[in-house]
Amino acid sequence: MIEAIKQKEALIKSLSSQKDIFNKIRKYSALGLVVSLILAFIFMFVLRPLGTGLFILTLVIVVAVGVLSLLDYIWKCRIKGAEDSHRRLIYDFEHPDHPLVDEKVNIVRKALNSVKNFFSKPSNIIVFVFAIVLSIMVLFPLGKLFLNTFQVGTRDETRLINEEWGTSLSMGDWTLLNWPMLLFPKSKDYASWSLSFFWKPLGNSVAMSLLACTIAVVFGGAFAWLITRSNIPCKKFISTVFIFPYIMPSWSLAMFWENFFKNSASAQSPGVGMLQSMTRWMTASGVGICAPEWLIYGLIPTAICLGMHYAPFAYILIGGILRNMDANLEEAATILKASKFKILRRITLPIVAPAMISTILLVFSSSLSTFTVPDKLRFSSISITLRSLLSTAGFKRMGYVVAVILMIFSILILTLNNWFTKSRRNFTTVSGKSGQITKTDLKKAKWPIAVFAIILVIFTSIVPLLSFVLESLEENSGDLSTLTLKYWTSSQQFDSFIASKNISTQGVFHNSAIWGAFGRSIIVAVFVALIAGTCGILIGYAVSKNRRGKLANFVSSVAFLPYLIPALSFGAVYYSLIKIPAFSFLDISTTTKQASAVGICIIIGMVKFLPFASRTGTNAMLQVSGEIEEAAVITGCPWHKRMTRILFPIQKSSFISGYLLPFISCMREYTLFILVTSEVTLITNVLQYFTKNGLGQLANAINLLIVVFVIGANFLVNKLTGASIDKGIGG
Amino acid sequence: MPRIELINVSKRWGSFVGVDHLNLVIEDNEFITLLGPSGCGKTTTLRMIAGLETPTEGKIIIGDTVVFDSQEGINLSPAKRDIGFLFQNYALWPHMTVYKNIAFGLENLKWKKEDIANRVDEVCKMLKIEQFKDRYPAELSGGQQQRVAIARTLAPNPKVLFMDEPLSNLDAKLRGEMRTELKRLHKDTGSTFVYVTHDQLEAMTLATRICLIETGVLQQYDPPLTVYNRPANLFVADFVGNPTMNFIKSKAVILDPRTVDLDVYGVKVRFHAEQDVQLNSEDVVLGIRPEFLDINKKGKIQGRAFAALPAGMETTVKIELGGNLLSSVKFGAVNYKTDETIHFDIVGDGIILFDALSKRNVSLGSVEIL
């Protein structure tokens, strides 16, 4: 008996060490696989034969990894078998009076039973349904987009590629050439085109995003610290108003920036801005202060506007951690005689570091793909390239290539984010409540800092609103003597050319285009919020119940995937999808019906904003201990009743935040819907269209409408239910 | 009447074994405690009987109904098992008042309104929480919340009551009071109680039978005093009893089937077993409860006082013998000076001989010092 046990132990040991060796080899081959694949790609365009050789090598490694994985699996089973019999032997040895009896197993029956058991739980049904639905709605379009980059689609594309590479491809053929066509073209003309149209904008975008991240984290972090950890006065006002820019559409700040700085000295800018008109009296010539060109358009203003837009996001994330951070951590350092500054540097900052890195990465990935702000402030970014490629015949596939590249960027960023937060998770654990945080006394600096902060938030949050009001009232931009109400009340057409296209350009109150679009926007936002919010709660429920389940993890990561995909690429995904004949009824360019556009917008919006909702839902559900639901299960309470009578009421405010967030995001979204809508489908379309066509007053009025509506909705929901947007993100 | 039977019940998560081939019969009207260190599978076992967790294989019968059978694919939902469950953290619904919390389960059973009101009044009176009926759980103290949770569990008159470490969140004094009340409640309701705990004192004082589990394997299933006096193996002997049993590793020399010569840290002793001794090897462990080390001036063994820990009613004395420590308990407060010489005997017939390899209890017996 004892001999047998010892033998088994030795067997397990030797099997495990063999398995370790397989694993090690597999790990290195996987690394080799990636390296050789990258090299193969590079050499394909430079030194063909070597590239082909490397491709074959890659294939060999793929096979090897496959074999190793199989071996690994077989060994795993063998180890498990050995462990089982080892355990059995020990059991029999220690309990000779009742030896174990083998159970007869009917495999078919067992399988059927386990399927039956699986589906007897509502959470499993939810997981199963969402696994299918999300695969269709997220993974399938993504795969389709990716495959599209390896195909020549239209006659124009075929001609361009054949001319450039001397190939004889015909329409619909598979090829790798879309990629080098954009990245490393052969001929000189295309090389310079690629440089100025792809590489430079890409560099621009990266620079802009880096700057925006820095601004967001510095401002957001500083405000978060001031609000949670210092005795600065007017906390409530500052913290309420500070998050306005995040609630407002992202281009609002850009619009305000232009309204503020545009001047007569700049050749590009239309009209006179607030700064110039307000400083007329100061200068002798009466011209006023004219900001230099670089301050109105280009990298600096774009980065500042984006940074200020995302600063509240950083504020919410970092503030959340600072608020929940165990005060004992800092108190322990105080007792050990560390100075306040040292505590900040050595204790507080390292603890909020994961949140900061998260913010940096998320802001980076959002900025990289943002379209409206650089478009408004005339900064050539990669998103603008993407937009124009997608809308030019013959270049669509290259547009898909750019979309895929942007996606790869985001996925890399998220992987990095996960890596950072995972390796640091052990010390980010926020424990319980820290009611008695000792707040830093700012002493004499208290009021100056407060005044500075208040001026700053007024400038980023309230002055923009005023500027929109002013701009919608001035006949000549910046000229206060031309104040008029006609852009609101008049029923005259302000632009006969646009009016001739059946788009109303009357004053806001009479404008059918604006109100029609506004109504459609609300419809889209309401439906998206209802669907995404509910799905988010269901996913949250199912994921919290199956935390170990593979399928549940799959659902939770696929539900988060849309977050990583830049809005424009996401639009492109569905854009490529509606080009499939089966979905052509959703294509706005073939059917002029706005209803179909609203339909596709709801689908896209729902998928795109699902990550917010599912994160909020999951966090809320995880906070409810499983026992709370089980206590109801025991009493025979059916599932729907448990959801509506127990779980929802307990986490009401979090769940409502899960509805509010998609609603607000959807209301102000433009980039996401740009490819699948016409110029009058949604309110944001109308806004952009009027801006482009010199109807600045109407555009400003629309922007004011959106901002007031969104802030009003947020405020109302907040007052009624206690839910708020910052709870959703920070939660 | 409900008799609970578990047949070969196992629970695995991947290759991790939570509960391993558990066989258990709980008779009607018993008070069973599932006892074991944390993570041993006792809560899993309880949740499997209640239907909150699905076993990987096995069969569970409550009364005449098979509530789970992996072969037949039977798996009754918890609601159909006619049970009550008391959770460790009470799991009171924070958005409902005490009244609503208790009434909720009855509503699900489709009781009439006045019946519900009467029953709620009745259980509230029984647990002395009538004055809190309109309060929310957050407005109650820990002990009051505990009572509400019990009231909620008792309200539908369950035949079987499951409790998952219900007293672990209470302070020591309150825990003592609740223990008394639970024992009384068991008598008054006439239900079968199954109680999970890691506190051996709780298990000893409450249960009619203790089920001791370690790493998912049943170790012993007997009345408390049997578990204490006749532990089945080294694990049980070590887990039950405070201060813990003294374990002395030794080589055995079998003289005849009932007489074994041993060496206790340099002291030669002879063990007289009450039954025939069979050993896997000469390696044995001698288990001596602290109360069987009798300190007296005429004691045949001489040791040194390492530390004395008087607790008022009794004093635990740590004795150093040949470089090893032994615990002894003496009634009353007796203080020994550190390093003072102590004489003691090994008395009684409750000394246990364990097989070091199989860890099993070989025989009880008495010790004669040579």
Side-chain angles (χ1 to χ4, degrees):
Chain A
M1 196 77 149
I2 300 163
E3 280 304 298
I5 293 176
K6 281 196 175 138
Q7 260 174 21
K8 282 283 175 223
E9 267 164 13
L11 179 65
I12 293 171
K13 212 168 183 183
S14 74
L15 283 175
S16 308
S17 66
Q18 284 163 12
K19 189 170 168 275
D20 279 350
I21 297 172
F22 295 147
N23 260 332
K24 226 170 240 169
I25 301 175
R26 193 169 60 153
K27 214 158 124 193
Y28 286 119
S29 358
L31 202 71
L33 181 78
V34 174
V35 172
S36 88
L37 196 66
I38 293 171
L39 284 179
F41 249 101
I42 294 173
F43 280 112
M44 257 340 238
F45 308 126
V46 190
L47 233 147
R48 280 281 154 102
L50 190 56
T52 320
L54 279 167
F55 259 119
I56 294 167
L57 180 68
T58 313
L59 276 180
V60 173
I61 300 179
V62 168
V63 174
V65 170
V67 171
L68 281 167
S69 304
L70 193 68
L71 280 176
D72 187 61
Y73 179 75
I74 295 172
W75 252 249
K76 206 167 147 188
C77 293
R78 285 182 65 183
I79 291 174
K80 199 176 167 245
E83 277 173 351
D84 269 351
S85 51
H86 177 242
R87 216 180 43 244
R88 242 160 191 236
L89 283 171
I90 289 183
Y91 187 95
D92 287 344
F93 181 60
E94 289 177 357
H95 302 77
D97 28 340
H98 35 83
L100 294 180
V101 194
D102 262 318
E103 209 177 314
K104 274 183 233 146
V105 180
N106 181 338
I107 294 174
V108 179
R109 196 155 197 185
K110 204 174 166 188
L112 273 177
N113 284 343
S114 60
V115 170
K116 196 174 125 194
N117 272 334
F118 183 83
F119 285 109
S120 66
K121 280 190 201 148
S123 64
N124 286 334
I125 298 176
I126 296 171
V127 165
F128 187 75
V129 170
F130 272 105
I132 294 170
V133 171
L134 288 176
S135 298
I136 294 170
M137 298 195 69
V138 180
L139 292 185
F140 172 69
L142 277 183
K144 181 88 193 137
L145 179 84
F146 189 64
L147 281 182
N148 267 341
T149 65
F150 296 107
Q151 207 182 18
V152 276
T154 62
R155 195 163 296 129
D156 287 330
E157 285 166 24
T158 323
R159 189 175 48 79
L160 278 174
I161 285 188
N162 283 342
E163 274 172 15
E164 175 72 13
W165 300 94
T167 48
S168 52
L169 294 166
S170 49
M171 223 170 89
D173 278 355
W174 294 98
T175 174
L176 286 171
L177 291 173
N178 281 322
W179 287 73
M181 185 84 187
L182 179 74
L183 304 178
F184 316 101
K186 209 159 86 184
S187 66
K188 257 211 172 109
D189 285 355
Y190 271 111
S192 71
W193 170 81
S194 156
L195 189 67
S196 66
F197 209 59
F198 175 76
W199 290 108
K200 270 196 187 148
L202 187 66
N204 280 347
S205 280
V206 170
M208 167 190 87
S209 307
L210 285 176
L211 255 179
C213 289
T214 318
I215 294 168
V217 168
V218 167
F219 270 98
F223 270 84
W225 186 83
L226 281 177
I227 297 291
T228 56
R229 288 296 158 106
S230 81
N231 64 342
I232 188 172
C234 308
K235 266 186 195 170
K236 183 120 204 210
F237 173 77
I238 296 174
S239 63
T240 314
V241 178
F242 187 68
I243 58 168
F244 274 18
Y246 191 67
I247 305 178
M248 291 195 256
S250 60
W251 64 79
S252 301
L253 275 176
M255 237 169 141
F256 162 64
W257 192 275
E258 197 190 28
N259 285 347
F260 191 80
F261 283 112
K262 64 187 174 183
N263 58 55
S264 50
S266 160
Q268 285 191 55
S269 64
V272 174
M274 283 168 88
L275 180 68
Q276 193 183 3
S277 61
M278 282 192 299
T279 53
R280 282 228 160 106
W281 57 272
M282 282 163 64
T283 46
S285 58
V287 182
I289 295 175
C290 293
E293 190 82 25
W294 58 264
L295 194 61
I296 318 173
Y297 299 114
L299 174 66
I300 307 276
T302 314
I304 293 177
C305 286
L306 277 174
M308 291 315 292
H309 177 64
Y310 288 115
F313 182 73
Y315 162 80
I316 290 164
L317 281 182
I318 298 172
I321 290 212
L322 281 179
R323 196 168 291 130
N324 290 329
M325 194 179 118
D326 193 346
N328 293 343
L329 295 176
E330 287 174 310
E331 281 158 9
T334 315
I335 287 163
L336 292 172
K337 301 193 173 36
S339 67
K340 283 266 175 202
F341 177 70
K342 197 169 184 184
I343 293 173
L344 185 68
R345 196 168 53 89
R346 298 282 300 275
I347 312 282
T348 318
L349 278 183
I351 286 172
V352 296
M356 273 168 46
I357 291 167
S358 254
T359 319
I360 291 175
L361 295 173
L362 293 178
V363 172
F364 186 85
S365 101
S366 310
S367 318
L368 200 60
S369 62
T370 187
F371 169 77
T372 43
V373 178
D375 185 47
K376 181 88 213 160
L377 295 174
R378 302 182 200 176
F379 180 61
S380 100
S381 73
I382 191 72
S383 48
I384 292 176
T385 301
L386 173 58
R387 161 90 164 123
S388 66
L389 284 175
L390 285 175
S391 50
T392 317
F395 291 92
K396 278 209 177 89
R397 305 281 151 158
M398 281 182 247
Y400 295 155
V401 172
V402 175
V404 169
I405 290 173
L406 282 183
M407 268 174 352
I408 292 172
F409 257 99
S410 320
I411 288 170
L412 280 181
I413 285 167
L414 190 90
T415 321
L416 214 62
N417 183 19
N418 280 350
W419 185 73
F420 268 115
T421 44
K422 212 172 242 161
S423 62
R424 286 160 188 238
R425 187 173 291 160
N426 38 0
F427 69 81
T428 43
T429 35
V430 279
S431 66
K433 287 159 195 101
S434 43
Q436 60 290 60
I437 305 172
T438 38
K439 297 207 164 126
T440 309
D441 190 359
L442 295 175
K443 293 180 190 151
K444 276 183 190 157
K446 191 165 122 178
W447 280 104
I449 291 179
V451 168
F452 177 74
I454 289 170
I455 290 177
L456 196 77
V457 295
I458 287 179
F459 198 74
T460 57
S461 309
I462 295 182
V463 180
L465 293 180
L466 289 177
S467 103
F468 301 144
V469 176
L470 269 183
E471 287 285 321
S472 71
L473 293 177
E474 292 166 350
E475 186 144 15
N476 294 326
S477 179
D479 189 351
L480 288 171
S481 61
T482 58
L483 282 183
T484 166
L485 272 177
K486 70 175 178 183
Y487 293 101
W488 289 88
T489 55
S490 161
S491 59
Q492 110 191 52
Q493 297 285 358
F494 291 109
D495 189 314
S496 53
F497 176 68
I498 296 176
S500 71
K501 287 204 276 184
N502 239 343
I503 297 171
S504 162
T505 57
Q506 291 155 305
V508 175
F509 294 136
H510 300 278
N511 194 310
S512 59
I514 292 178
W515 293 112
F518 201 50
R520 279 187 290 274
S521 276
I522 293 177
I523 291 173
V524 169
V526 165
F527 272 96
V528 165
L530 282 180
I531 300 172
T534 310
C535 291
I537 294 174
L538 290 177
I539 291 175
Y541 173 78
V543 169
S544 70
K545 289 282 158 242
N546 301 294
R547 250 177 294 175
R548 286 174 218 240
K550 279 203 178 105
L551 202 60
N553 280 334
F554 167 79
V555 167
S556 124
S557 14
V558 175
F560 192 68
L561 202 56
Y563 188 89
L564 300 180
I565 307 166
L568 206 54
S569 314
F570 204 76
V573 169
Y574 277 83
Y575 181 71
S576 80
L577 206 63
I578 57 176
K579 291 296 171 196
I580 298 171
F583 297 107
S584 61
F585 65 94
L586 290 169
D587 189 353
I588 190 78
S589 64
T590 54
T591 66
T592 44
K593 280 183 218 137
Q594 294 299 348
S596 58
V598 168
I600 184 96
C601 283
I602 291 175
I603 295 173
I604 300 180
M606 179 208 118
V607 178
K608 175 70 186 171
F609 298 122
L610 187 62
F612 291 122
S614 81
R615 270 295 143 103
T616 322
T618 310
N619 283 339
M621 284 294 183
L622 284 177
Q623 279 168 12
V624 184
S625 113
E627 294 181 349
I628 288 275
E629 196 199 349
E630 282 164 1
V633 172
I634 296 275
T635 67
C637 179
W639 180 74
H640 64 93
K641 208 169 159 193
R642 296 203 295 270
M643 289 299 278
T644 52
R645 297 258 325 253
I646 308 278
L647 293 173
F648 195 86
I650 291 178
Q651 285 293 27
K652 195 177 67 187
S653 73
S654 293
F655 287 144
I656 290 175
S657 306
Y659 284 104
L660 188 63
L661 215 55
F663 178 79
I664 288 177
S665 312
C666 206
M667 207 53 217
R668 59 169 164 76
E669 187 59 54
Y670 172 65
T671 320
L672 183 63
F673 302 131
I674 188 171
L675 291 170
V676 293
T677 48
S678 76
E679 52 277 281
V680 291
T681 305
L682 300 175
I683 190 72
T684 46
N685 293 118
V686 182
L687 167 66
Q688 295 296 332
Y689 185 66
F690 283 174
T691 315
K692 285 256 154 66
N693 288 286
L695 288 166
Q697 292 87 349
L698 286 182
N700 274 294
I702 294 173
N703 208 11
L704 185 70
L705 274 181
I706 300 176
V707 173
V708 168
F709 180 78
V710 166
I711 292 178
N714 186 39
F715 180 77
L716 196 71
V717 172
N718 191 351
K719 278 281 153 275
L720 284 180
T721 64
S724 74
I725 188 159
D726 40 320
K727 237 183 213 161
I729 314 170
Chain B
M1 276 324 240
R3 168 181 188 270
I4 303 169
E5 194 173 353
L6 277 74
I7 302 164
N8 268 325
V9 174
S10 295
K11 174 75 185 180
R12 286 188 218 103
W13 289 278
S15 60
F16 176 78
V17 183
V19 174
D20 199 3
H21 292 90
L22 187 65
N23 287 288
L24 200 66
V25 178
I26 298 167
E27 297 294 345
D28 184 28
N29 206 12
E30 271 200 291
F31 195 139
I32 298 296
T33 52
L34 301 177
L35 177 66
S38 21
C40 72
K42 53 193 191 305
T43 298
T44 310
T45 307
L46 191 74
R47 290 169 57 85
M48 286 194 297
I49 309 175
L52 296 171
E53 200 95 56
T54 313
T56 318
E57 56 192 48
K59 191 170 175 181
I60 300 174
I61 305 166
I62 298 180
D64 303 324
T65 11
V66 178
V67 293
F68 179 84
D69 189 336
S70 61
Q71 295 276 303
E72 301 295 320
I74 298 171
N75 188 10
L76 282 191
S77 79
K80 292 189 187 131
R81 297 187 185 194
D82 195 12
I83 49 159
F85 201 111
L86 193 59
F87 293 92
Q88 184 174 4
N89 299 316
Y90 319 142
L92 294 176
W93 299 305
H95 60 298
M96 295 184 187
T97 58
V98 168
Y99 181 90
K100 284 252 181 70
N101 258 292
I102 301 172
F104 188 79
L106 303 176
E107 281 167 29
N108 290 325
L109 292 174
K110 309 232 156 49
W111 280 30
K112 276 188 217 138
K113 266 228 165 94
E114 58 264 39
D115 290 348
I116 293 179
N118 289 338
R119 180 64 184 155
V120 175
D121 281 344
E122 196 182 331
V123 286
C124 282
K125 206 169 276 171
M126 187 150 92
L127 286 149
K128 304 181 195 90
I129 45 170
E130 296 138 296
Q131 66 271 42
F132 306 130
K133 262 192 279 185
D134 295 321
R135 292 219 200 151
Y136 283 94
E139 298 161 349
L140 300 174
S141 72
Q144 289 159 350
Q145 288 185 17
Q146 172 74 62
R147 281 162 197 278
V148 175
I150 296 176
R152 183 178 72 180
T153 315
L154 287 179
N157 272 324
K159 298 268 177 346
V160 193
L161 201 66
F162 296 123
M163 289 173 268
D164 185 5
E165 308 204 15
L167 306 185
S168 61
N169 287 346
L170 300 179
D171 61 58
K173 188 161 175 283
L174 214 50
R175 209 180 307 160
E177 283 170 25
M178 287 308 291
R179 251 182 235 151
T180 323
E181 284 187 42
L182 279 180
K183 196 144 194 176
R184 190 72 222 167
L185 216 55
H186 175 237
K187 184 100 183 112
D188 293 346
T189 55
S191 310
T192 307
F193 279 28
V194 185
Y195 187 103
V196 161
T197 180
H198 63 261
D199 180 347
Q200 47 126 344
L201 185 69
E202 220 160 85
M204 292 294 288
T205 49
L206 287 175
T208 53
R209 274 205 284 176
I210 292 178
C211 170
L212 236 148
I213 301 175
E214 194 214 14
T215 54
V217 180
L218 177 66
Q219 302 294 329
Q220 190 167 7
Y221 182 40
D222 276 314
L225 286 178
T226 315
V227 171
Y228 185 81
N229 292 327
R230 295 176 172 272
N233 55 36
L234 276 175
F235 168 78
V236 178
D238 189 28
F239 194 82
V240 177
N242 185 27
T244 49
M245 190 184 266
N246 298 298
F247 294 112
I248 299 142
K249 281 183 193 154
S250 181
K251 302 272 182 204
V253 182
I254 300 181
L255 301 177
D256 65 67
R258 296 211 173 185
T259 321
V260 185
D261 269 4
L262 301 161
D263 172 273
V264 177
Y265 300 142
V267 180
K268 297 274 177 233
V269 299
R270 182 160 294 162
F271 182 78
H272 298 286
E274 63 175 25
Q275 65 191 59
D276 290 359
V277 170
Q278 276 180 333
L279 293 171
N280 281 308
S281 71
E282 55 168 12
D283 289 315
V284 292
V285 175
L286 193 66
I288 308 169
R289 290 265 175 225
E291 57 266 35
F292 296 140
L293 288 182
D294 179 40
I295 302 176
N296 59 62
K297 291 216 173 84
K298 291 176 192 152
K300 290 193 182 121
I301 309 174
Q302 186 182 333
R304 208 158 50 83
F306 186 78
L309 313 165
M313 198 152 77
E314 84 279 322
T315 306
T316 305
V317 188
K318 296 277 177 191
I319 307 168
E320 192 189 321
L321 181 66
N324 297 283
L325 283 185
L326 296 171
S327 317
S328 160
V329 176
K330 204 159 169 60
F331 197 76
V334 196
N335 213 346
Y336 291 94
K337 280 200 197 97
T338 306
D339 289 341
E340 186 182 330
T341 306
I342 283 180
H343 295 272
F344 63 97
D345 280 321
I346 302 173
V347 297
D349 49 10
I351 315 297
I352 308 163
L353 190 68
F354 295 98
D355 185 319
L357 261 178
S358 72
K359 301 194 174 80
R360 296 184 59 241
N361 178 341
V362 179
S363 173
L364 260 62
S366 57
V367 164
E368 174 195 351
I369 295 153
L370 296 176

